[in-house]
Amino acid sequence: MPLLLADLVCADGEFVLIGRVAAAAHGWPISLDDAGAMLEVVPADPEGVAVVLSRCGYTAMGDGRWAISGVTLIVHARPPRTAGYRDLVRDSEPIELPGQEVRVASLVDLIRVLEGDGSSRLRPFGAALWATLESVRRRQAREHIDVAAA
């Protein structure tokens, strides 16, 4: 998967990572072992990403899916309950993943996408996303209290 991200980053592709890998980047408690090699992104320019992926040897599988060497990339132009890239990038966070910085959708946005899509691959993990969000909010509240007390 790091090579796939490298291809997108090196192509000056602006994108936001969503899906299970994005949730894992936020620290959710679910293992990615059973997820297979799958990434989901929302690019600023879906057509431009398609051109880059074709040039890099990825195989178009239809419905926004691309594959190479056992890795599947799903390109979403506009996930449910969002207005696409500009909407998701606003609250995204830069996260370092194997040597690369990528924009990752916020937990709130991941939940919004999940709740808007009855067939989302995140659907079985809604409770884990909510628990991760609550954990992050509690940690931030404790840090705020610690800073105020200092």
Side-chain angles (χ1 to χ4, degrees), residues 79-109:
R81 295 182 70 185
T82 76
Y85 173 81
R86 292 196 192 290
D87 181 9
L88 293 171
V89 77
R90 180 182 29 204
D91 291 327
S92 69
E93 300 176 33
I95 294 182
E96 191 73 26
L97 294 176
Q100 302 165 54
E101 184 177 277
V102 297
R103 302 298 304 184
V104 178
S106 71
L107 284 166
V108 170
D109 285 338

Side-chain angles (χ1 to χ4, degrees), residues 11 14 28 32 34 44 49 54 56-57 62 68 78 80-82 87 91 100 105-107 111 116 120 127 134 146 150:
E14 294 179 69
W28 80 340
L32 291 178
D34 67 337
V49 167
S54 292
C56 290
I68 192 167
R78 188 173 172 219
R81 295 182 70 185
T82 76
D87 181 9
D91 291 327
Q100 302 165 54
S106 71
L107 284 166
I111 291 168
S120 170
E134 182 61 27
D146 291 344

Side-chain angles (χ1 to χ4, degrees), residues 3-73:
L3 292 177
L4 178 69
L5 290 171
D7 287 345
L8 293 171
V9 170
C10 289
D12 290 330
E14 294 179 69
F15 63 92
V16 175
L17 188 61
I18 64 172
R20 290 182 67 182
V21 174
H26 283 290
W28 80 340
I30 305 296
S31 169
L32 291 178
D33 293 343
D34 67 337
M38 182 186 308
L39 285 174
E40 296 182 66
V41 298
V42 180
D45 178 12
E47 291 80 23
V49 167
V51 169
V52 168
L53 292 173
S54 292
R55 283 189 202 148
C56 290
Y58 290 79
T59 302
M61 298 168 46
D63 220 17
R65 293 175 180 266
W66 294 82
I68 192 167
S69 302
V71 177
T72 300
L73 172 70

